[in-house]
Amino acid sequence: MGAAVAAAVAAGVAVPSLLGPGDPAYALTKNGDGSINLKIYEFRDPERLEQELMEWGVRADITYLPPGKRCGNLRAPVLEGDDVRATKEELLSDDPATKARVRERLQRSPSYQAIRPKDGITIYPRHIRPGQIAMIEVMENPAPPSAGRPGVLWEFTGRLTTGPIAPCQVVDDPSAHDVGDATPPPGS
């Protein structure tokens, strides 16, 4: 089986995590540019996912959170360059120019270069320096999306750190139930 997995990785195809009977919990795909795409199907066995990412050269800390929850603590040191220095007014602004400036600062940050919301979660190992850890927290949506309640199945935060990483202090996330008006923001 190991040779089959190695051949699949070399060919750039998805390698689902088979955790016994049933559907895979996630799939990892190595892309032609060296990036790794992660698609999550079920919130189980984050330790195995961390192990598989390590085998692909990425140290990771994966935390799955139940519906309506988030980590209430910072957990790990923030990398230099990751503080986009956005004010509360900038973050809440409806002005397209203000949103574009904040988005540009975010996209220049080391963590955004390494972990992006693309086809699930895409990790770019070339942007992860030795000693850095990809810290990914995935929050489950409290209600599956439907025509009457648009939204997403899950959302995530991802950033790089040098550690150490403290355990997640799970707290309520009051914004978990906000679905907005189901229209994409300008420029998205």
Side-chain angles (χ1 to χ4, degrees):
M1 180 166 170
V5 170
V9 171
V13 298
V15 179
S17 174
L18 302 175
L19 303 172
D23 294 328
Y26 56 86
L28 291 173
T29 306
K30 179 94 51 138
N31 301 311
D33 65 356
S35 64
I36 300 168
N37 182 252
L38 165 62
K39 293 194 184 216
I40 299 172
Y41 304 116
E42 212 174 301
F43 284 17
R44 58 184 161 106
D45 204 6
E47 295 83 11
R48 177 146 171 90
L49 175 55
E50 291 170 359
Q51 178 186 351
E52 288 188 39
L53 284 168
M54 179 65 90
E55 291 168 7
W56 287 21
V58 175
R59 282 182 57 204
D61 180 279
I62 308 292
T63 302
Y64 292 142
L65 293 152
K69 303 293 182 182
R70 65 176 176 82
C71 292
N73 53 327
L74 184 59
R75 297 188 63 211
V78 176
L79 286 185
E80 185 177 327
D82 269 356
D83 182 3
V84 296
R85 302 196 188 278
T87 65
K88 185 176 181 179
E89 291 77 22
E90 287 177 308
L91 292 173
L92 298 175
S93 175
D94 289 331
D95 176 45
T98 300
K99 287 182 176 188
R101 282 192 304 274
V102 171
R103 187 174 26 257
E104 180 183 328
R105 288 192 307 242
L106 171 69
Q107 291 173 345
R108 285 193 314 249
S109 72
S111 288
Y112 183 85
Q113 294 298 312
I115 307 164
R116 299 183 202 163
K118 181 180 176 187
D119 298 324
I121 301 170
T122 301
I123 302 166
Y124 295 84
R126 70 179 177 267
H127 293 289
I128 302 175
R129 293 198 166 110
Q132 292 180 338
I133 305 162
M135 190 170 86
I136 299 172
E137 298 169 358
V138 185
M139 291 72 69
E140 187 175 2
N141 190 334
S146 67
R149 185 176 168 79
V152 296
L153 291 174
W154 50 268
E155 61 183 340
F156 82 99
T157 62
R159 68 180 179 93
L160 296 175
T161 186
T162 54
I165 299 174
C168 174
Q169 294 174 358
V170 180
V171 298
D172 289 333
D173 181 3
S175 68
H177 304 284
D178 296 341
V179 295
D181 61 6
T183 58
S188 69

